[in-house]
Amino acid sequence: MTRPTVVLLGLILTIASGNLISPKGANAQNTPPPCSLEEPTTLVGEASWYGPGFHGRKTATGNVYNQNDPSKAACLEAFKRTCVQVTNLQNGRTITVECRDTGQFCERYGRVIDLSRQGSIKLRGDDEEPGSIPKVKIEPVSCKSKA
């Protein structure tokens, strides 16, 4: 085979395997979460938190947002008005939250849930500082099982 033929064949195989389309390759482990779901399902991904700029404002469900309430969160639209158990896969801590708000955190940042300030602190295990949590699992649960 000539050199141009080999290069062309290599390019075709690279495209076919997906390694040229995805910067992390066809088997990338950090795939973005499905931001549009028909119904609540178990998801794994990054959790973030929101607070001061939204504190005291109305949420998507009409309730007033309180950044100090660890039991409320912003979730994907499919989870609105449901409850989810959020597990920090790094330390095993769990909290159950009611999804009272929605937002663009998934589409813009690739995150699966936006916790309240206190929810983030509780799930991270920190005494004072909220922050994002790189790997959480969210699972739909009955709101009646909420503590």
Side-chain angles (χ1 to χ4, degrees), residues 6 13-14 33 35 53 83 87-88 109 115-116 120 122 129 133:
V6 171
L13 290 173
T14 300
C35 296
C83 290
T87 304
N88 181 336
Y109 310 109
L115 300 167
S116 69
S120 169
K122 196 171 181 180
E129 294 300 317
I133 303 163

Side-chain angles (χ1 to χ4, degrees), residues 64-87:
V64 175
Y65 174 67
N66 179 353
Q67 70 175 356
N68 300 311
D69 185 347
S71 67
K72 306 295 185 278
C75 304
L76 301 177
E77 185 69 31
F79 291 92
K80 191 163 83 176
R81 291 188 170 92
T82 65
C83 290
V84 295
Q85 179 175 302
V86 186
T87 304

Side-chain angles (χ1 to χ4, degrees), residues 26-133:
N27 297 319
Q29 292 185 6
N30 292 330
T31 56
C35 296
S36 298
L37 298 170
E38 294 296 318
E39 59 187 51
T41 187
T42 299
L43 294 174
V44 173
E46 183 180 1
S48 53
W49 72 279
Y50 70 129
F54 298 94
H55 185 70
R57 295 172 61 187
K58 285 195 175 189
T59 65
T61 58
N63 301 95
V64 175
Y65 174 67
N66 179 353
Q67 70 175 356
N68 300 311
D69 185 347
S71 67
K72 306 295 185 278
C75 304
L76 301 177
E77 185 69 31
F79 291 92
K80 191 163 83 176
R81 291 188 170 92
T82 65
C83 290
V84 295
Q85 179 175 302
V86 186
T87 304
N88 181 336
L89 296 176
Q90 294 178 314
N91 64 17
R93 289 178 175 265
T94 64
I95 60 171
T96 300
V97 297
E98 185 179 355
C99 298
R100 289 257 183 114
D101 207 357
T102 59
Q104 298 294 313
F105 52 87
C106 185
E107 293 85 352
R108 288 188 184 166
Y109 310 109
R111 297 175 181 147
V112 296
I113 193 166
D114 234 359
L115 300 167
S116 69
R117 181 181 193 283
Q118 276 308 119
S120 169
I121 290 170
K122 196 171 181 180
L123 200 58
R124 285 169 47 100
D126 297 342
D127 289 332
E128 300 175 18
E129 294 300 317
S132 62
I133 303 163

